[in-house]
Amino acid sequence: MSGTPKRTSSTNIEGGATFRRTSNTARGSVSAVGRRSEAGLQFTRTQDDLTRPSATKKDMSEWLVKLEHMFTVTPQRMRMIVDGFVEVLEKGLAKEGEDVPMLPTYVFGWPTGQEKGAYLAVDLGGTNLRVCHVELEGDGKFEVTQTKYRLTEEQKHADGPELIDFCAECLGRFVQDHYADDDGNVILDEPLSLGFTFSYPCVQEAIDHGVLLRWTKGFGAPNIEGHDVAAMFKKSLAKFDVPVELVALINDTTGTLIASAYVDTATRAGIIFGTGCNAAYMEKISSIPKIADKGLDQTEEMAINCEWGAFDSSTHEHLPRTPYDVIIDETSNKPGQQAFEKMIAGLYLGEVFRLVMIELIDEGVLFLGQETYKVEKPFGFDTAFLSLIESDTTDELLTVTGLFSHFYSLDTTIKERQFFKRLAQLIGTRAARLSACGIAAIVSKQGYLEDGCGIATDGSLYNKYPKFPERLGEGLVDIFGEKGKGIRTYHAEDGSGVGAAVIAAMTKARLLAGK
């Protein structure tokens, strides 16, 4: 049997929802009482004050003034952040061990758009494991068949090899479902080529190699950090007798960069604003001093996985952190890491909102006389709720009423609902404006401003949060002036699926060329 999969209907397959997506456009298109301390807010709560005075409009107005000051990032502050960001990116290219590690990916140069063939892709993301068959058709076109498997919190923190085994098992099931003949036998002319999207910071010395530096996005599985993830995955593939050859280990931002460039040649960076945040762009090898001893062709370019979520984690001299950000950091499973990510990524925005609510509950401003234990659970307020609050256009903010009533058994006044909507806007706008600083840093460093460029952007925050793309654009204009309008952000192509396949195809072509 060749590498063409058996066609199946789009149904659930043993725990994974399968469906196809086909590109139908050519190249160039994109589809209690609280206490404070110097460390921040404390979680000590009591129930002995049940007769607090009613909150007044003035109470909320005064708090809103404080919060607007706390969460507003001015154009001047943005430009200062960009300057610091550029300096940090340069340091990461110069030497190892920096906060923003600027990881070489060994993905060399841009795709031609004419890459063709059938490839597999596995994507270990923050929420799901996804397995894809990708048919590259050339001219920037592709077809994707995929199955998703939900990751449990237990799996994210279970023993590392078990997590990698789970990935291999799911891939083996996918191959069996899509490539087996009527007798259940998988007979191939050669092993299927695979791109493994592993969206966590890895140090790579080759395209099929990657040592995990640290977990992000709430993962904490032991016995993987400091180990070669690619080697572990190859071992699991052999263990479960999966007829697949791992060709490339990539980050989802690198995949986003390459997949979008496959379709749109104006793409100059790939950025994820989702559960976490990260960016990739193409750098001259001659501008990466820390790999000068590798003997690489200095005239070539290589994709860099920035891992910029770690920006300002050590010094805290650039980002305007609030006491709520400090709490999130100190109570996380990785304190002292990912400072930038913890201020802008989808995993954390709902928690920022919740911590503000908790402080105002403690101050006797919100939910007077009501049981509030349901909102006191850490990370018990999803970022998706901020989207719902911001999107509510009814006069009485009825969506907000229903949200608090249904999920938290809390009644709200119109003043509280108006306050919540403004708070959600402040938190969402801050995230977008800080995100714009990261984009602006790459644009400034690479000299893209004069001619303009395309920024391929993906993730739930960019795709689903109200006005996030518009606020990114406004932030870029605040940083660069009118020239900032030449920096286009658009929805990225499927980086973890199509990108992995394109990179696998590019890698095979280099190997055939003797590089």
Side-chain angles (χ1 to χ4, degrees):
M1 183 180 291
S2 68
T4 302
K6 179 180 68 177
R7 297 298 182 187
T8 62
S9 59
S10 300
T11 56
N12 285 343
I13 298 179
E14 296 185 42
T18 300
F19 59 91
R20 293 195 188 90
R21 184 169 65 84
T22 304
S23 67
N24 53 16
T25 51
R27 171 189 291 280
S29 64
V30 291
S31 35
V33 178
R35 302 184 304 178
R36 288 181 176 274
S37 74
E38 293 181 359
L41 307 177
Q42 302 298 305
F43 286 106
T44 304
R45 305 177 58 73
T46 66
Q47 297 292 333
D48 56 356
D49 185 3
L50 300 179
T51 58
R52 294 180 295 196
S54 296
T56 65
K57 183 177 180 181
K58 183 179 179 182
D59 287 331
M60 288 188 190
S61 297
E62 289 175 348
W63 270 98
L64 203 52
V65 170
K66 295 177 187 177
L67 292 166
E68 285 177 339
H69 176 74
M70 208 179 285
F71 286 103
T72 297
V73 188
T74 65
Q76 293 86 351
R77 184 63 183 267
M78 293 174 77
R79 287 189 281 269
M80 292 172 63
I81 292 171
V82 172
D83 289 343
F85 221 132
V86 172
E87 183 180 341
V88 166
L89 297 182
E90 294 284 6
K91 286 182 177 179
L93 291 173
K95 63 178 183 178
E96 306 289 354
E98 295 295 309
D99 270 357
V100 178
M102 303 296 282
L103 301 171
T105 64
Y106 294 85
V107 175
F108 295 93
W110 299 100
T112 64
Q114 298 307 314
E115 288 80 6
K116 296 181 180 181
Y119 297 88
L120 292 177
V122 170
D123 172 25
L124 182 64
T127 306
N128 298 301
L129 174 73
R130 190 164 66 114
V131 183
C132 308
H133 168 90
V134 182
E135 192 77 37
L136 300 177
E137 301 171 349
D139 294 324
K141 296 180 181 181
F142 56 84
E143 181 180 345
V144 179
T145 303
Q146 68 176 24
T147 301
K148 284 185 177 181
Y149 303 89
R150 187 80 175 181
L151 288 167
T152 66
E153 287 302 313
E154 290 77 12
Q155 285 175 310
K156 294 179 183 180
H157 297 277
D159 190 48
E162 291 181 11
L163 177 62
I164 300 300
D165 278 352
F166 173 73
C167 297
E169 284 186 277
C170 291
L171 175 59
R173 188 181 309 164
F174 183 90
V175 170
Q176 183 68 35
D177 289 341
H178 291 269
Y179 292 85
D181 60 22
D182 294 337
D183 296 324
N185 299 312
V186 177
I187 303 172
L188 302 170
D189 297 332
E190 60 183 11
L192 298 160
S193 296
L194 171 74
F196 182 20
T197 304
F198 187 77
S199 306
Y200 307 90
C202 290
V203 175
Q204 293 187 257
E205 295 181 356
I207 190 66
D208 61 347
H209 167 273
V211 175
L212 177 62
L213 277 176
R214 59 179 176 271
W215 282 116
T216 57
K217 304 179 189 175
F219 273 72
N223 301 317
I224 293 189
E225 291 181 340
H227 296 274
D228 182 355
V229 177
M232 292 177 69
F233 194 58
K234 290 176 183 177
K235 184 177 179 181
S236 292
L237 292 175
K239 176 180 178 180
F240 294 102
D241 196 25
V242 184
V244 168
E245 179 186 7
L246 176 61
V247 175
L249 180 76
I250 70 166
N251 187 274
D252 57 350
T253 46
T254 309
T256 295
L257 173 69
I258 297 301
S260 296
Y262 179 72
V263 173
D264 185 345
T265 57
T267 301
R268 287 295 172 268
I271 302 183
I272 306 294
F273 295 119
T275 305
C277 70
N278 195 12
Y281 74 102
M282 200 67 68
E283 182 63 86
K284 298 182 183 67
I285 291 178
S286 59
S287 298
I288 315 174
K290 66 183 179 183
I291 60 170
D293 61 342
K294 299 293 184 183
L296 301 173
D297 186 343
Q298 298 295 295
T299 65
E300 286 197 288
E301 293 181 297
M302 182 191 292
I304 295 294
N305 167 24
C306 299
E307 291 296 341
W308 73 4
F311 173 62
D312 206 32
S313 292
S314 295
T315 61
H316 301 307
E317 60 180 316
H318 302 294
L319 297 173
R321 294 206 307 170
T322 68
Y324 315 108
D325 301 308
V326 174
I327 289 175
I328 287 174
D329 180 36
E330 292 180 348
T331 58
S332 72
N333 69 326
K334 296 287 184 180
Q337 298 180 19
Q338 303 298 104
F340 187 52
E341 180 172 274
K342 288 171 180 172
M343 294 179 72
I344 68 176
L347 181 60
Y348 304 101
L349 299 189
E351 182 66 358
V352 175
F353 187 100
R354 192 192 70 83
L355 288 173
V356 175
M357 281 199 301
I358 291 298
E359 183 173 25
L360 268 66
I361 291 169
D362 291 345
E363 294 291 332
V365 178
L366 296 176
F367 306 129
L368 302 182
Q370 300 187 66
E371 290 289 344
T372 58
Y373 67 92
K374 288 187 178 181
V375 295
E376 293 174 23
K377 180 182 177 182
F379 288 89
F381 199 91
D382 197 279
T383 298
F385 292 166
L386 271 68
S387 297
L388 290 173
I389 292 170
E390 275 217 55
S391 300
D392 192 346
T393 57
T394 61
D395 291 339
E396 295 296 316
L397 297 175
L398 298 179
T399 299
V400 183
T401 300
L403 189 157
F404 279 92
S405 175
H406 179 75
F407 289 100
Y408 304 104
S409 303
L410 291 168
D411 295 325
T412 55
T413 67
I414 184 62
K415 298 302 180 186
E416 288 174 331
R417 297 194 292 274
Q418 290 169 344
F419 175 86
F420 293 146
K421 183 162 184 174
R422 181 60 183 143
L423 177 59
Q425 290 170 343
L426 288 172
I427 294 171
T429 300
R430 183 187 73 158
R433 290 176 72 79
L434 290 176
S435 299
C437 293
I439 294 174
I442 290 176
V443 168
S444 297
K445 181 187 173 308
Q446 298 303 100
Y448 296 148
L449 182 61
E450 290 301 318
D451 295 332
C453 67
I455 306 294
T457 313
D458 205 358
S460 55
L461 208 57
Y462 183 85
N463 296 328
K464 298 179 181 179
Y465 199 93
K467 300 182 180 179
F468 191 90
E470 293 86 349
R471 289 166 179 166
L472 271 183
E474 291 166 2
L476 290 168
V477 171
D478 280 347
I479 294 167
F480 291 126
E482 287 299 302
K483 288 184 178 179
K485 294 181 179 178
I487 310 303
R488 298 181 299 113
T489 67
Y490 46 79
H491 176 63
E493 292 299 337
D494 176 8
S496 56
V498 176
V502 175
I503 290 170
M506 292 168 63
T507 301
K508 288 190 72 175
R510 283 183 65 86
L511 292 172
L512 289 172
K515 295 184 179 181

